[in-house]
Amino acid sequence: MKKKIIIIEDIAAIREGFVAALQSTGKYSVINAYDSCEAALVNLHTDEPDVVLMDIELPGMDGIEGTARIKKEFANCIVLIITVLEDSEKVFQSLCAGAGGYIVKNSNIENIDQTIDEALRGGAPMSLSIAKMVVESFRREPNSPLSERETEVLQAIASGKSYSKIAQEIFVSKETVRTHIKNIYRKLEVSSKAEALRIANKNKWVNY
Amino acid sequence: MKKKIIIIEDIAAIREGFVAALQSTGKYSVINAYDSCEAALVNLHTDEPDVVLMDIELPGMDGIEGTARIKKEFANCIVLIITVLEDSEKVFQSLCAGAGGYIVKNSNIENIDQTIDEALRGGAPMSLSIAKMVVESFRREPNSPLSERETEVLQAIASGKSYSKIAQEIFVSKETVRTHIKNIYRKLEVSSKAEALRIANKNKWVNY
DNA sequence: GCTGTATCCCCCAATTTGGGGGATTTTTAA
DNA sequence: TTAAAAATCCCCCAAATTGGGGGATACAGC
C-alpha cells in the first residue's frame, strides 16, 4: 500500500509543485495539501499521514510548533521540513520538535523521492550543510567573559548540582564555589542561576 | 608561508602514511608526528602548530582530552580528528572539546588535502554520516516514563529555574510543580535535581 | 603596583528543597 | 464502565540552599 502524504506550505505554486511531483512518482498517495498548520491539524485524524512535508515559515503557527503538534498526536508520522533559508536556530528547533529530515525547496523530483525513501527507511535525510549547521551550533564561542573555573562552575550549575555538590567535585570549599558564582553574577549582571544560564547559553559560553 | 602541522596517531603505519601524504603535497610543513598526546603536549609550545591531526583512540590520554588541552593553549589551532569508528558519543564529545572537523582514516591524499583546506578556510569538514550522527543524538527518545508535563518541568529545572519560577511560567501553583517533581523523583528513583537530570539526559528524555 | 583569578572565611535572612501527608478533576486505557 | 494515570492544589516540617554583604590571602600577568 502507498504511503500517505500531506503537504503544508503556504505558497500555492510550491505546494502544487510538490503535489504534482509526488503524484508523478506513483509511489505515494497525496491525501491533502494545506496552506497552514491550523488547517492541517483539524484534518489530522482523518488524514492519518505517514509523512508530512512541512514548510518552516508559515503564517500563524510556524512549522516548528506544527511539527511538535503532529508528533504529539502521531509519534510515528515522519515530518520532513521543506526549507530554503538555512537558519541554524530554526533547523535545530525543528529537530528538537521531532523533524525527521530536510528537503531543499528547489529539489527535483528524484531528489524528493530519494529523501522520502531515506526517511521511511529510518534515516535522517538532510544536506551536509544543514547537518554542519547544527554541529557548528554546539561549538563554544571563545569570547566568554567568564574564566575557566567560572565556566566549569556554571556548567555544573546547568546540570542541577548544588553548590556543596560542585565544591566536592572540583575539590574546593563551598565558599569558593559561592565566590565564583558571585563573580559570575557580577560579570553577567544577573542574580540567579536561571538568568546566568540563559545568558551563557545564548552566547554559547557553556554547552547545555 | 606553509601551515605547520603535527600528527598524533599511535599506529606507526597510519602515522607515517599521513606524514608522507602531507609532505607529498608540498603545501604543508609537517613539524612533528607523535604516538601520544602526552608526547605532543610537551613540545606544543615549540611546535606551535596551525593544524593538528588527532587520532581519537590513543593509549593514555585520548584524543578528546588531548583536543581540549591543545585548544586551551592554542585556541586558534585547528584540531582535525582522524576517525574510523563512528561512535556518536565520542564524535560529539570531541566537537565539544573544540575539534574543527573529521578525517576518515582511509582517506586518499586529495581528500586529506581538501579537508585541511576547508578547515583552514573556516569550515567544519566532516562526512555527512558524522554530521548526521551528531544531529540524531539530539533526537528525543520516545519511551520516556515521564509524562508531558513532567518532562516540561524537568526541562525547566535543567535551565536552573526555581519551583516558584516554573510555576509562574506554566501557570500553575508552586505546589503543583512540587507534586510533579515528587512524581519525577519517584519514577526515576532519585531524590535530587542533579540525579534526575543525569538520568533523563542520559536517556534523552530531555534536551539539555 | 594594579587587575584578574582562585582560594577561603564570616554573617544574615529569605527562599528553596525534599519528604510526608492529603485532596480533586480530567483524561486515558483496559 | 471502571480503574489507572495525569494534572491540579493544599498543609506541615526541617534541613539545605541561595543571594548579598563584608572580608582575607596568594599567585599570576601587564
Side-chain angles (χ1 to χ4, degrees), chain B residues 20-191:
Chain B
L22 289 170
Q23 281 173 336
S24 75
T25 66
K27 294 169 63 182
Y28 311 105
S29 169
V30 181
I31 304 287
N32 257 317
Y34 303 93
D35 63 355
S36 75
C37 287
E38 287 84 350
L41 285 167
V42 294
N43 285 354
L44 195 63
H45 283 264
T46 51
D47 286 350
E48 287 188 324
D50 299 298
V51 177
V52 177
L53 303 193
M54 168 83 80
D55 190 12
I56 207 162
E57 303 248 310
L58 289 166
M61 187 189 303
D62 70 7
I64 296 164
E65 177 66 19
T67 300
R69 299 280 184 98
I70 291 170
K71 292 297 283 189
K72 195 169 135 186
E73 303 285 327
F74 294 96
N76 294 324
C77 175
I78 295 168
V79 179
L80 297 175
I81 305 291
I82 305 164
T83 182
V84 49
L85 92 153
E86 302 193 333
D87 175 338
S88 74
E89 191 49 39
K90 286 196 173 159
V91 168
F92 179 63
Q93 286 176 353
S94 55
L95 271 170
C96 287
Y102 291 83
I103 293 180
V104 183
K105 224 165 197 171
N106 53 5
S107 298
N108 55 34
I109 300 170
E110 294 91 62
N111 233 310
I112 297 168
D113 191 29
Q114 278 169 18
T115 302
I116 295 173
D117 266 354
E118 188 182 344
L120 289 170
R121 284 197 311 271
M126 68 187 72
S127 70
L128 182 55
S129 64
I130 284 182
K132 267 189 198 174
M133 229 184 315
V134 177
V135 169
E136 286 187 78
S137 76
F138 288 98
R139 292 258 186 83
R140 289 260 191 93
E141 289 295 328
N143 56 343
S144 170
L146 303 181
S147 74
E148 236 179 274
R149 205 50 154 173
E150 286 161 358
T151 305
E152 198 180 353
V153 169
L154 197 52
Q155 202 86 263
I157 292 286
S159 63
K161 299 192 179 82
S162 70
Y163 295 176
S164 338
K165 193 91 188 168
I166 297 168
Q168 278 175 33
E169 282 185 14
I170 65 175
F171 305 106
V172 296
S173 112
K174 189 190 343 187
E175 293 302 323
T176 305
V177 176
R178 281 168 49 69
T179 306
H180 286 313
I181 302 273
K182 285 175 193 174
N183 289 332
I184 291 168
Y185 286 1
R186 184 178 41 75
K187 285 180 180 176
L188 305 186
E189 298 178 80
V190 297
S191 55

Side-chain angles (χ1 to χ4, degrees), chain A residues 80-91:
Chain A
L80 296 176
I81 305 291
I82 306 165
T83 182
V84 50
L85 92 153
E86 303 194 333
D87 175 337
S88 74
E89 191 50 38
K90 285 195 175 161
V91 168

